[in-house]
Amino acid sequence: MSGIAGLVSRTGDVREQAELVLEFTDTLTHRGPRRGGTWLARHAGLGHRQFHTGPRNDVPQPWFPPELDPAPAVVAFSGELLNPGPLHTALTARGQRIRNGSDAELVLRAYLEWGTDAAERLVGGYAAAIWDTRTEELVLIRDRLGVEPLYWAELPDGSLAFGSEPKALLAAGLPAEVDANGLVDVLTVALKRPGDAVYRGLHEVRPGWLLVAGPNGVRHRRYWAPVAAEHTDDERTTVQRVRALLADTVRRQSADTGVKPGALLSGGLDSSAIVGLAAAGGDKVSTYSVDFAGSETDFKADALHVSRDAPYVRAVIDHVGTRHTEILLDAPSLLDHLGATLRARDLPGVGDLDVSLHLLFREVRAHAEVVLSGEGADDVFGGFPWFAAEAERPTASFPWSAGITDRSGMLSAELRRHLDVDAEVAARYGEALAEVPRPAGESGADRRLREAFHLQLTRFLPFLLDRKDRMSFAAGLLVRLPFTDHRLVEYVWNAPWALKRVGGREKGLLREAVADLLPTEVVRRQKSGFPFGQSPEYLEAVREAVRALLADRDSPALPLLNAEALRAQVDGGDWHTGTFTPPPWLPRALLLDAWLRTYGVRVVL
């Protein structure tokens, strides 16, 4: 994972904007602190920032074949391929002469060999930008699940810019504006339309898609999607297949780095499974966990936080035998770091859930450069509580936000005249359902759960991946995600709900696949979410900050918010529900205000 950026202009000479290309490329230095580079031609400029991930990829970028003059194409590549060996073999068999074997070279030579069909042959988490000097076309490719981010926008002068984060596009000249559609993205959680990116005119390349921008405009093509098909394997075979796929992806993501990755450990099933599989290879794994000072007395169970992590973390350490480091955070100080998470996202996030993750990554970075994480397992295997709820009582909404009846209640009367959040969410839900592939004859719980899993993979998982990406790279840490291996996703996607829930437990299939690696109490542990600050000092600090916001006549957020509803939350009981939706409003109000101020965002209604 590194950072890429670039500019394409049909009317101007990009070489005359060399300083601008360098400037907005360098906004991504935190994604690639090792070195940076740019490549310029009349109609295009590419930029790259490199994150050191081992000797094989220690190659300056943007990269082009040095033996070909003029170069037929140039690439800026961010991320990692998990199939460099097979790709190298296939290219060599077709007469391609591989010089350094880096991911960037393999991607470019694959493009020269197969054109945009090369995307189907690339395995991993990546974003690639290729300028074809022969056709003067820009090709942007994003990995299947969206592990690696990739944004693009058409600028006011008619040029097209792209980059790994919104900040690069803003530095390139994209106006900092948000319309009603973008405000819905800000005011809800994980309900963003794929391809949208909050800022007016800013877009994402959708996971599993590619974009081609040429003299005739911009066109998009989907190269991957999970295919709905009958699952014919029995329980024993399915469990074995899941184990084999997981073991293989953990092995791949632990190899060829130049540095042995550590692993994040929460004591939950997902991270513990990764640790167990990594340790099964014979190496002693370095693990890292997070807790809050005083959590022994401050912790209160809720819908997503069933139990404290610490006892289960210790059980895994004792069972597997890891080298462990506990990161202890001070909950009252979380408020001090909201600004850092805003700058990492370039958007309002989810408050203390962002901050605690960022602080964990920052502290881990003092010990490790690369770590494995269990992110994605709940999305693939059905670990969140809303999956079981949908199986028993199907709703007509996004499962994680079902039951919310007034999403506009915290908005000002003026904003409600322009924006009906509930109606917009309903429209987005209808659009999302229309995308679900359906095998013939599927009915009942399996039909609804296929919908739920598709919504999860295309809406909620991207929200989690985006959060992980920004919080980790703001800390200079590379986090790898074995559960996002598309082969695993494709296989589990078609397993019926009863098989995913073997033993009557959430993620029963995963539990069976790794049960022999872990202590019994961890295998049986109920899903419990990432810890967040619950100390009275933190809760009161947030209240005081919102009181100050309510008293600030110059606040750009207050015209958008229902001040009386906010004041009622400030003066009332607990404002943190322990759920993703509705999100905790008080820290989000602070973030909204800071975003509008810091980024000079103009609201266009």
Side-chain angles (χ1 to χ4, degrees), residues 355-415:
V355 174
S356 56
L357 188 64
H358 172 61
L359 293 179
L360 167 63
F361 289 153
R362 191 184 70 176
E363 296 302 316
V364 169
R365 182 61 186 88
H367 306 275
E369 187 176 39
V370 184
V371 292
L372 305 177
S373 170
E375 195 83 86
D378 288 310
D379 309 87
V380 175
F381 288 94
F384 290 110
W386 48 78
F387 284 101
E390 290 292 331
E392 296 174 7
R393 296 176 300 279
T395 64
S397 183
F398 295 98
W400 52 92
S401 68
I404 301 175
T405 56
D406 184 11
R407 295 179 177 85
S408 300
M410 298 299 293
L411 307 185
S412 67
E414 174 62 23
L415 182 54

Side-chain angles (χ1 to χ4, degrees), residues 106-181:
L106 293 175
V107 168
L108 186 57
R109 293 198 186 275
Y111 172 76
L112 294 175
E113 187 64 40
W114 296 295
T116 56
D117 289 342
E120 299 168 17
R121 298 173 179 267
L122 307 179
V123 177
Y126 66 88
I130 300 168
W131 175 252
D132 192 320
T133 62
R134 303 161 300 183
T135 61
E136 294 205 322
E137 289 183 321
L138 173 70
V139 179
L140 300 178
I141 310 173
R142 193 175 181 199
D143 68 80
R144 292 166 176 81
L145 273 299
V147 173
E148 190 75 2
L150 185 55
Y151 295 85
W152 68 280
E154 292 181 289
L155 303 180
D157 65 0
S159 59
L160 183 148
F162 67 89
S164 295
E165 295 184 15
K167 57 175 55 68
L169 283 300
L170 294 169
L174 177 73
E177 298 176 343
V178 63
D179 57 18
N181 188 59

